[in-house]
Amino acid sequence: MRKKNLFVISALALTVSSFMLPITANAALPITVNNQSIPSLAPMLEQVTPAVVSIAVEGKQISKQQLPEAYRFFFGPDFPTEQIQERPFQGLGSGVIIDADKGYIVTNQHVINNADKIMVQLSNGHEVTAKLIGSDKSSDIALLQIKTPQRLTAIKLANSDKLRVGDFAVAIGNPFGLGQTVTSGIISALGRSGLNLENIENFIQTDAAINSGNSGGALINLNGELIGINTAILAPDRGNVGIGFAIPSNMVNNLTAQIIKTGHVQRGTLGVQGRELTAELAKTFGYDTNQGAFVNQVMPDSAAQKAGLKAGDIITTVNGEPIRSFSELRAKVATLGAGKTLTIQAMRNGKLQQFAATLGASVDSIVNADDLHSSLTGAQLTNATLDGKAHGVEVTQLTKDSLAARYGLLKGDVIIGLNRTVIKNLGQLRKALDHPPKVIALEIQRGNNVLYIIVR
């Protein structure tokens, strides 16, 4: 018997060459057929489906090709052995309107990644160009905005912390570019992680059929409320077997609120290192269940230390909601945002204790520049300081013959401005490049000199 391989597919986007309606209908609401009342999802779906849109993107995909070193023998030592190629691409996905008045649409980051043009098609067939407000690669969330005279319908967000395994769920999206499609199932599991899809994982698992093109679509409850954004499937030979994953609505709400406010996500950090709690470990520390997050280490001067947490604590709840694993704790903390104060309950020496912690800001010390803009491929960036103050973004590493190098960047350059806007840190540079102009003028400090480098 041939052994089938299982694939976790995060890029469910299908690649190819002002007005809020109240949603109160319940799926159990009967409809009459042949003078008989039968249960149906139709009344609820008639109100919800206009809030789910189809997304079509166009852009350029940059790929690297490594040529043999022998080429240098024929063409000289300066011949570049790494070739950068740009290839146009098109893709399809889904999105969900979360604010009808402002035209905000949430989708997956991988749906719009590297897109130069984003088109949104409403359920009535009307098409409009969307603007990218901001995105977060680590959690695979992106926020778009459209402006249209069309009346929009938005979905109300549910409290995903209240979900239970066995709750009914309905998925709505645009699989395989067929058009809006509805499938149903149940919540199969909560707090799924370790799938290596994104850096922050706390997925809802469902058996509602999800396929390529469903990315960014809605997972809703029977009240027509959003409980998650569909993002991935576990599949043999890339087919659906009833194991799909969605980003919980509470994570979506926290992340989009930060993007709306600042244009990017400012992660919160508690300052603990830990591991998943096993039954044996729980018993050793006087705890009678394996639900919780075990703390291995508390970092000096962190929010956790200031709150009084210690190594050996088992965190059981955050803001009154149960914590099932360390991965779930990490995801909740990272998406809540810096400056938020949490009420944490932890087991210590067999007794429950309560702590209040104000989250610090997580700083991405080094980022790959192509995460910010494709024209900067080959450079690594970090925050630069001068006399203890933010001074721009430094190029710490640069790949020879890369696109960034060809535009003229050098290792040690400090980006201090972009199109006459002062840039003091990575956050400001990221925000400026979330919706970049066609021509980008980088103001560079190189030693004691200041110059401009133009990239497209």
Side-chain angles (χ1 to χ4, degrees), residues 27 42 70 86 90 122 159 286-287 295 303 408:
E86 291 187 2
Q90 295 178 314
L122 303 177
N159 182 357
Y287 195 44
V295 178

PDB file of all heavy atoms in Angstrom, residues 27 42 70 86 90 122 159 286-287 295 303 408:
ATOM      1  N   ALA A  27     -29.481  29.637  13.814  1.00  0.00           N
ATOM      2  CA  ALA A  27     -29.570  28.552  12.843  1.00  0.00           C
ATOM      3  C   ALA A  27     -30.752  27.635  13.111  1.00  0.00           C
ATOM      4  O   ALA A  27     -31.222  26.936  12.230  1.00  0.00           O
ATOM      5  CB  ALA A  27     -28.278  27.751  12.853  1.00  0.00           C
ATOM      6  N   ALA A  42     -30.131  28.929   6.435  1.00  0.00           N
ATOM      7  CA  ALA A  42     -30.351  29.957   5.418  1.00  0.00           C
ATOM      8  C   ALA A  42     -30.677  31.336   5.989  1.00  0.00           C
ATOM      9  O   ALA A  42     -30.124  32.343   5.516  1.00  0.00           O
ATOM     10  CB  ALA A  42     -31.441  29.497   4.451  1.00  0.00           C
ATOM     11  N   ALA A  70      32.009  28.149 -11.104  1.00  0.00           N
ATOM     12  CA  ALA A  70      32.829  28.028 -12.316  1.00  0.00           C
ATOM     13  C   ALA A  70      32.600  29.179 -13.280  1.00  0.00           C
ATOM     14  O   ALA A  70      33.461  29.482 -14.122  1.00  0.00           O
ATOM     15  CB  ALA A  70      32.525  26.696 -13.008  1.00  0.00           C
ATOM     16  N   GLU A  86      12.524  38.463 -11.172  1.00  0.00           N
ATOM     17  CA  GLU A  86      11.186  38.923 -10.814  1.00  0.00           C
ATOM     18  C   GLU A  86      10.174  38.282 -11.753  1.00  0.00           C
ATOM     19  O   GLU A  86      10.294  38.387 -12.975  1.00  0.00           O
ATOM     20  CB  GLU A  86      11.091  40.448 -10.909  1.00  0.00           C
ATOM     21  CG  GLU A  86      11.897  41.189  -9.862  1.00  0.00           C
ATOM     22  CD  GLU A  86      11.641  42.684  -9.894  1.00  0.00           C
ATOM     23  OE1 GLU A  86      10.811  43.114 -10.720  1.00  0.00           O
ATOM     24  OE2 GLU A  86      12.261  43.419  -9.113  1.00  0.00           O
ATOM     25  N   GLN A  90      -0.394  36.040  -9.899  1.00  0.00           N
ATOM     26  CA  GLN A  90      -1.765  36.385  -9.539  1.00  0.00           C
ATOM     27  C   GLN A  90      -2.237  35.411  -8.474  1.00  0.00           C
ATOM     28  O   GLN A  90      -1.753  34.274  -8.399  1.00  0.00           O
ATOM     29  CB  GLN A  90      -2.691  36.314 -10.761  1.00  0.00           C
ATOM     30  CG  GLN A  90      -2.375  37.333 -11.843  1.00  0.00           C
ATOM     31  CD  GLN A  90      -3.283  37.172 -13.045  1.00  0.00           C
ATOM     32  OE1 GLN A  90      -3.515  36.070 -13.527  1.00  0.00           O
ATOM     33  NE2 GLN A  90      -3.826  38.287 -13.512  1.00  0.00           N
ATOM     34  N   LEU A 122     -17.217  42.244  -3.904  1.00  0.00           N
ATOM     35  CA  LEU A 122     -18.280  42.065  -2.937  1.00  0.00           C
ATOM     36  C   LEU A 122     -19.207  40.944  -3.376  1.00  0.00           C
ATOM     37  O   LEU A 122     -19.153  40.478  -4.525  1.00  0.00           O
ATOM     38  CB  LEU A 122     -19.061  43.370  -2.773  1.00  0.00           C
ATOM     39  CG  LEU A 122     -18.235  44.600  -2.369  1.00  0.00           C
ATOM     40  CD1 LEU A 122     -19.127  45.832  -2.310  1.00  0.00           C
ATOM     41  CD2 LEU A 122     -17.535  44.368  -1.045  1.00  0.00           C
ATOM     42  N   ASN A 159     -16.567  36.268  21.098  1.00  0.00           N
ATOM     43  CA  ASN A 159     -15.489  36.037  22.061  1.00  0.00           C
ATOM     44  C   ASN A 159     -14.996  34.610  21.873  1.00  0.00           C
ATOM     45  O   ASN A 159     -15.602  33.653  22.360  1.00  0.00           O
ATOM     46  CB  ASN A 159     -15.989  36.255  23.484  1.00  0.00           C
ATOM     47  CG  ASN A 159     -14.892  36.073  24.525  1.00  0.00           C
ATOM     48  OD1 ASN A 159     -13.746  35.725  24.199  1.00  0.00           O
ATOM     49  ND2 ASN A 159     -15.215  36.303  25.783  1.00  0.00           N
ATOM     50  N   GLY A 286       2.687  19.759  42.362  1.00  0.00           N
ATOM     51  CA  GLY A 286       1.472  19.818  43.160  1.00  0.00           C
ATOM     52  C   GLY A 286       0.240  20.278  42.418  1.00  0.00           C
ATOM     53  O   GLY A 286      -0.637  20.923  42.997  1.00  0.00           O
ATOM     54  N   TYR A 287       0.147  19.943  41.126  1.00  0.00           N
ATOM     55  CA  TYR A 287      -0.980  20.357  40.301  1.00  0.00           C
ATOM     56  C   TYR A 287      -1.619  19.105  39.727  1.00  0.00           C
ATOM     57  O   TYR A 287      -0.917  18.172  39.302  1.00  0.00           O
ATOM     58  CB  TYR A 287      -0.488  21.299  39.195  1.00  0.00           C
ATOM     59  CG  TYR A 287      -1.551  22.082  38.480  1.00  0.00           C
ATOM     60  CD1 TYR A 287      -2.581  22.702  39.174  1.00  0.00           C
ATOM     61  CD2 TYR A 287      -1.511  22.218  37.096  1.00  0.00           C
ATOM     62  CE1 TYR A 287      -3.550  23.430  38.515  1.00  0.00           C
ATOM     63  CE2 TYR A 287      -2.475  22.955  36.421  1.00  0.00           C
ATOM     64  CZ  TYR A 287      -3.493  23.553  37.137  1.00  0.00           C
ATOM     65  OH  TYR A 287      -4.457  24.277  36.479  1.00  0.00           O
ATOM     66  N   VAL A 295       6.447  27.670  33.817  1.00  0.00           N
ATOM     67  CA  VAL A 295       7.469  28.712  33.695  1.00  0.00           C
ATOM     68  C   VAL A 295       8.828  28.146  34.095  1.00  0.00           C
ATOM     69  O   VAL A 295       9.039  27.776  35.256  1.00  0.00           O
ATOM     70  CB  VAL A 295       7.117  29.927  34.572  1.00  0.00           C
ATOM     71  CG1 VAL A 295       8.213  30.986  34.484  1.00  0.00           C
ATOM     72  CG2 VAL A 295       5.771  30.517  34.148  1.00  0.00           C
ATOM     73  N   ALA A 303       8.324  42.189  32.726  1.00  0.00           N
ATOM     74  CA  ALA A 303       6.987  42.387  33.299  1.00  0.00           C
ATOM     75  C   ALA A 303       6.655  41.291  34.293  1.00  0.00           C
ATOM     76  O   ALA A 303       6.024  41.532  35.330  1.00  0.00           O
ATOM     77  CB  ALA A 303       5.955  42.418  32.175  1.00  0.00           C
ATOM     78  N   GLY A 408      22.584  50.028  -4.296  1.00  0.00           N
ATOM     79  CA  GLY A 408      23.630  50.877  -3.744  1.00  0.00           C
ATOM     80  C   GLY A 408      23.777  50.855  -2.240  1.00  0.00           C
ATOM     81  O   GLY A 408      24.607  51.576  -1.682  1.00  0.00           O
TER      82      GLY A 408
END
